[in-house]
């Protein structure tokens, strides 16, 4: 089999992909002792995670099912850009019976030759390092475009907006009415929970096309600066190059505000009123939680001493996770003590 991968759909990468495929097809056809095991590919997919590469996973599964006994690929960076995953998968293939070799055209080595182990480890580490360097260069370019207010961010799952064929952000009228309803209702004193219940009852789909609205979704819409026409860039950042995991930016990376970035659905004055009301609402909720915590009865499991339920314990739905774990420890201690007495 032959494995080909490119990480983007850019024109030059697409040409590279076609060249890789044609090269290996010709090589297999021109080698009489080889049977064509087929192409496995991942086009427009990063090589930093096997989980995101269905073609690669299918190839490994085919090897485990003894459908192929040799894999051809251009170089280490095509096979992957995660050093640990590269070495783990090569070890898996080597330990199959019979083992499946991986031939790297550049620099022309086989994974089954033990003399190549050190070189393969070095190449795998270099492939990962190159990926990290490219990621940092891309992030630097993105941050520059953010600072200039020209970064093209995703509006997927953003209710009320869409991009036209020229990439310009436009208002979607029907969805915009839902956004206005949410803002107007909140300013009239309706809580996010009640707004969520009303939208669910009306059969209106959420931004993610779900049938049930959550309070968190309403709060997110109410606090989203995009609805007043502004855009705050870099609210989230990638914290792991290999897993592409993101997290809210709590510093030290700078966020960039671009006022008047696009057409507003909500007037700026109304949006500011909503933010003040949200802040006040959060303060009330925090005070209520502190008060409830102050008056909460102490944790003390109660055991029934008489009647048909004698020996059973009463459970309290208000227990915290720590209290539930403490209760389970108490039960274990009681059971151990009972077993000791019987012995």
């Amino acid at each position: 089999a032959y494995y080909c991968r490119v990480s983007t759909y850019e024109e030059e990468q697409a040409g590279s992909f076609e060249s890789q495929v044609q090269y290996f097809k010709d090589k297999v056809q021109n080698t009489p002792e080889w049977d064509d095991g087929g192409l496995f590919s991942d086009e427009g997919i990063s090589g930093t995670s096997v989980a995101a590469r269905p073609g690669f996973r299918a190839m490994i599964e085919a090897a485990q099912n003894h459908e192929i006994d040799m894999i051809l690929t251009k170089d280490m960076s095509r096979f992957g850009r995660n050093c640990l995953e590269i070495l783990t998968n090569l070890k898996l293939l080597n330990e199959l019976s019979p083992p499946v070799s991986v031939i790297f055209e550049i620099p022309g080595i086989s994974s089954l030759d033990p003399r190549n182990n050190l070189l393969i480890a070095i190449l795998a580490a270099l492939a990962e390092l190159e990926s990290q360097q490219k990621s940092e260069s891309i992030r630097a370019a993105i941050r520059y475009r953010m600072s200039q207010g020209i970064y093209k961010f995703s509006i997927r799952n953003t209710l009320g907006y869409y991009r036209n064929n020229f990439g310009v952000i436009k208002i979607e009228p029907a969805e915009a009415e839902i956004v206005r309803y949410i803002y107007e209702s909140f300013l009239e004193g309706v809580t996010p929970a009640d707004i969520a219940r009303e939208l669910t009852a009306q059969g209106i789909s959420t931004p993610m096309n779900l049938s049930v609205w959550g309070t968190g979704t309403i709060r997110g819409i109410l606090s989203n600066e995009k609805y007043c026409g502004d855009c705050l860039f870099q609210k989230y950042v990638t914290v792991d190059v290999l897993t592409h995991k993101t997290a809210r930016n709590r510093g030290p990376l700078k966020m960039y505000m671009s006022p008047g970035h696009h057409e507003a659905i909500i007037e700026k004055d109304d949006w500011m009123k909503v933010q003040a009301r949200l802040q006040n609402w959060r303060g009330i909720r925090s005070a209520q939680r502190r008060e409830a915590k102050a008056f909460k009865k102490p944790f003390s499991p109660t055991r029934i001493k008489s009647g048909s339920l004698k020996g059973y314990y009463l459970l309290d739905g208000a227990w915290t996770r720590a209290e539930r774990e403490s209760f389970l420890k108490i039960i274990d201690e009681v059971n151990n003590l009972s077993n000791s007495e019987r012995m």
Side-chain angles (χ1 to χ4, degrees):
Y2 33 105
Y3 178 71
C4 302
R5 182 187 67 80
V6 290
S7 58
T8 71
Y9 286 113
E10 295 176 3
E11 186 176 350
E12 62 271 20
Q13 288 286 303
S16 172
F17 180 81
E18 296 299 331
S19 297
Q20 288 180 52
V21 173
Q22 191 59 50
Y23 171 81
F24 286 119
K25 277 186 176 180
D26 293 342
K27 181 164 186 174
V28 172
Q29 291 174 0
N30 294 329
T31 307
E33 62 270 25
W34 288 354
D35 292 324
D36 193 338
L39 166 68
F40 294 88
S41 65
D42 291 300
E43 191 171 2
I45 297 177
S46 168
T48 55
S49 174
V50 168
R53 292 191 282 160
F56 188 91
R57 296 200 310 273
M59 179 180 68
I60 296 298
E61 184 177 347
Q64 291 174 312
N65 293 334
H66 308 293
E67 297 170 12
I68 54 177
D69 53 21
M70 180 187 293
I71 297 169
L72 307 177
T73 192
K74 179 181 176 183
D75 55 32
M76 189 65 70
S77 65
R78 299 305 94 198
F79 194 75
R81 288 190 178 275
N82 181 322
C83 183
L84 178 59
E85 287 191 348
I86 290 172
L87 298 179
T88 298
N89 282 292
L90 289 177
K91 182 174 183 293
L92 183 154
L93 294 171
N94 287 351
E95 291 177 349
L96 293 176
S97 182
V100 174
S101 63
V102 179
I103 307 298
F104 298 99
E105 289 292 300
I106 304 173
I109 59 175
S110 168
S111 63
L112 292 187
D113 189 339
R115 295 173 298 179
N116 295 327
N117 289 347
L118 178 58
L119 179 57
I120 287 174
I122 293 173
L123 292 175
L126 289 174
E128 181 174 321
L129 179 61
E130 183 184 8
S131 177
Q132 293 173 347
Q133 291 173 336
K134 284 186 176 180
S135 295
E136 187 53 46
S137 298
I138 292 171
R139 285 198 296 269
I142 288 174
R143 287 170 190 150
Y144 173 76
R145 295 201 297 274
M146 286 178 174
S147 69
Q148 301 300 307
I150 58 175
Y151 177 66
K152 189 177 177 180
F153 59 89
S154 172
I155 57 170
R156 186 181 62 177
N157 300 329
T158 302
L159 198 68
Y161 287 112
Y162 72 98
R163 287 190 185 274
N164 64 13
N165 293 333
F166 299 99
V168 179
I169 298 177
K170 294 291 185 179
I171 292 177
E172 205 292 317
E175 293 183 355
E177 285 304 312
I178 300 172
V179 174
R180 294 188 185 101
Y181 168 79
I182 292 171
Y183 273 78
E184 290 169 2
S185 298
F186 187 69
L187 285 174
E188 290 171 359
V190 184
T191 66
D194 288 336
I195 295 173
R197 280 192 288 269
E198 182 60 29
L199 290 173
T200 300
Q202 292 180 29
I204 296 173
S205 298
T206 72
M208 297 184 68
N209 204 31
L210 302 176
S211 59
V212 178
W213 286 75
T215 304
T217 302
I218 301 298
R219 289 201 303 266
I221 291 174
L222 290 170
S223 60
N224 192 338
E225 79 289 341
K226 292 183 180 66
Y227 291 116
C228 69
D230 297 342
C231 185
L232 181 62
F233 292 110
Q234 202 160 241
K235 288 189 286 189
Y236 290 87
V237 294
T238 300
V239 295
D240 192 317
V241 174
L242 297 180
T243 63
H244 305 289
K245 182 180 179 181
T246 60
R248 183 174 287 277
N249 181 10
R250 303 188 185 279
L253 293 177
K254 181 180 179 180
M255 290 186 278
Y256 304 94
M257 175 61 79
S258 178
H261 180 272
H262 52 270
E263 188 178 357
I265 294 176
I266 305 299
E267 293 292 334
K268 188 64 174 284
D269 289 345
D270 289 337
W271 189 84
M272 294 300 295
K273 291 176 184 177
V274 166
Q275 304 319 299
R277 188 174 179 83
L278 273 175
Q279 190 65 31
N280 182 55
W281 181 73
R282 291 190 189 104
I284 294 172
R285 291 290 301 274
S286 297
Q288 290 174 340
R289 284 194 292 268
R290 288 195 299 270
E291 184 178 352
K293 187 175 181 180
F295 286 96
K296 184 180 178 182
K297 61 182 180 181
F299 170 68
S300 57
T302 303
R303 191 173 189 179
I304 301 174
K305 297 181 180 179
S306 61
S308 59
L309 296 178
K310 181 179 179 180
Y312 286 88
Y313 285 88
L314 293 176
L315 305 181
D316 190 340
W319 284 348
T320 64
R321 180 176 179 178
E323 290 171 340
R324 291 196 298 270
E325 291 175 351
S326 297
F327 172 75
L328 293 175
K329 289 180 180 178
I330 292 172
I331 296 299
D332 288 339
E333 291 173 0
V334 171
N335 290 337
N336 292 336
L337 180 61
S338 299
N339 291 335
S340 298
E341 289 175 350
R342 290 192 188 98
M343 292 174 64

